[in-house]
Amino acid sequence: MSSVDFLAQEKIWFDKPRYDEAERRFYERTDGSSQPTQDVGANTILQDIARARENIQKSLAGTISSAADQGEIICRIKSLELENHSLHKVVDDLRAALSKLECRVSVLEKSPAVVTPATAPSVPYTNGATVQQKTSAPVKNEEEEDDDDDDDIDLFGSDDDEDAEKLKEQRLKEYAEKKAKKPGIIAKSSILLDVKPWDDETDMVKLEECVRSVVADGLLWGTSKLVPVGYGIKKLQIACVVEDDKVGTDMLEEEITKFEDYIQSVDVAAFNKI
């Protein structure tokens, strides 16, 4: 048999489209039977992917919230540091004011002993004795005047008759009245008050007017200033001089706190005897 006859009898290549069609149908039937299983597997994968995405979003949200919390904590720490710095400044100011008041009190306490030497430079310095005599002259004059006043009143009059007794009693009475009229030492105190408002919207000018409107015998208001406390709030720090027998700290606090629309509280920052 020749090769031409063999190829003429061989039909596999000429029927290739039919074989391809049969193969396609075979695979379609095979794929059709396994398609539900493949759909179920695809749905499971999609669900896993969705869950993974949800977990990723939750983790990202948690990271963002933790970063926000850290930022808030940092802001609060900074605000506390600023408040602490302002409080330190207030304490330093109070210490400086207290030291000044103590210096003034010490100067006032020592002033009687320093008065006599203060006039020494104005006298021509010839010798030590002359200067000493001139500087001590006013003190001696005052003592002599007191002695003269006492000598004018004869405490030991004559007891010969009743007129002398009456005269003695009259002079004793006059002497007692004269001594009673002499002014005694008035005890005074210097007080530094801290007047705190309700909030940062309180009118501090009106608050100071209310404080200074408190008037009493033996009360004298002094200087004042606004001292920052924190969060925009300032307190009024005001000084006053009072006579101890007439005005007390309890009375001042009671009278000042009557203005309850402006004033929250009153504290005694410093108290010194004058």
Side-chain angles (χ1 to χ4, degrees):
M1 180 183 295
S2 64
S3 59
V4 177
D5 294 334
F6 176 77
L7 291 174
Q9 293 178 2
E10 186 65 36
K11 298 180 180 180
I12 184 170
W13 297 108
F14 297 104
D15 295 333
K16 187 176 183 301
R18 285 196 306 142
Y19 286 104
D20 291 339
E21 183 68 18
E23 186 178 2
R24 183 179 63 79
R25 289 178 182 177
F26 172 76
Y27 284 117
E28 285 181 355
R29 285 196 299 270
T30 305
D31 294 338
S33 62
S34 62
Q35 187 172 4
T37 305
Q38 292 178 355
D39 292 338
V40 172
N43 291 331
T44 305
I45 293 171
L46 290 175
Q47 290 177 358
D48 293 337
I49 293 171
R51 281 196 296 270
R53 288 179 178 176
E54 186 177 357
N55 292 330
I56 292 170
Q57 291 177 355
K58 287 182 179 179
S59 63
L60 291 175
T63 304
I64 294 171
S65 62
S66 63
D69 293 338
Q70 289 179 357
E72 184 179 357
I73 292 171
I74 291 171
C75 292
R76 290 184 63 185
I77 291 172
K78 288 182 179 179
S79 63
L80 289 174
E81 288 178 352
L82 292 174
E83 183 179 359
N84 189 18
H85 180 69
S86 63
L87 289 175
H88 278 297
K89 188 176 180 181
V90 171
V91 171
D92 293 337
D93 293 339
L94 289 175
R95 286 177 179 173
L98 183 60
S99 63
K100 289 181 180 178
L101 288 173
E102 289 177 351
C103 292
R104 290 183 61 186
V105 170
S106 62
V107 170
L108 290 173
E109 289 177 351
K110 295 178 181 178
S111 59
V114 181
V115 170
T116 52
T119 57
S122 62
V123 180
Y125 187 79
T126 57
N127 53 42
T130 304
V131 174
Q132 183 64 29
Q133 289 175 358
K134 290 184 179 181
T135 53
S136 60
V139 179
K140 290 183 178 180
N141 291 332
E142 292 178 358
E143 293 178 354
E144 290 175 358
E145 289 178 359
D146 293 337
D147 294 338
D148 293 339
D149 293 338
D150 295 338
D151 293 338
D152 292 340
I153 300 172
D154 188 6
L155 299 179
F156 305 101
S158 177
D159 295 336
D160 295 335
D161 51 12
E162 295 180 357
D163 294 337
E165 290 291 336
K166 291 180 180 179
L167 183 60
K168 182 180 178 180
E169 291 177 359
Q170 183 179 357
R171 289 180 177 178
L172 286 171
K173 185 177 180 181
E174 290 177 356
Y175 179 78
E177 291 178 354
K178 186 176 180 180
K179 288 293 184 183
K181 289 180 181 179
K182 288 185 178 181
I185 298 175
I186 301 174
K188 295 183 180 181
S189 299
S190 175
I191 303 174
L192 186 66
L193 298 175
D194 283 344
V195 184
K196 297 177 183 177
W198 288 104
D199 51 27
D200 57 344
E201 296 181 356
T202 304
D203 189 355
M204 299 303 293
V205 177
K206 184 65 177 177
L207 185 144
E208 184 175 356
E209 292 177 357
C210 294
V211 173
R212 291 185 182 274
S213 66
V214 176
V215 180
D217 186 18
L219 171 63
L220 178 62
W221 292 109
T223 59
S224 63
K225 65 178 180 178
L226 297 178
V227 179
V229 178
Y231 299 102
I233 301 174
K234 295 182 179 180
K235 66 179 179 181
L236 175 67
Q237 197 171 80
I238 185 168
C240 64
V241 178
V242 300
E243 295 182 11
D244 296 343
D245 295 336
K246 297 179 180 179
V247 181
T249 56
D250 295 336
M251 187 275 283
L252 284 176
E253 293 179 4
E254 182 179 354
E255 292 295 327
I256 293 173
T257 51
K258 287 182 179 179
F259 303 99
E260 56 185 9
D261 293 338
Y262 299 96
I263 297 169
Q264 179 187 9
S265 63
V266 179
D267 296 325
V268 178
F271 186 93
N272 296 297
K273 292 288 185 180
I274 297 178

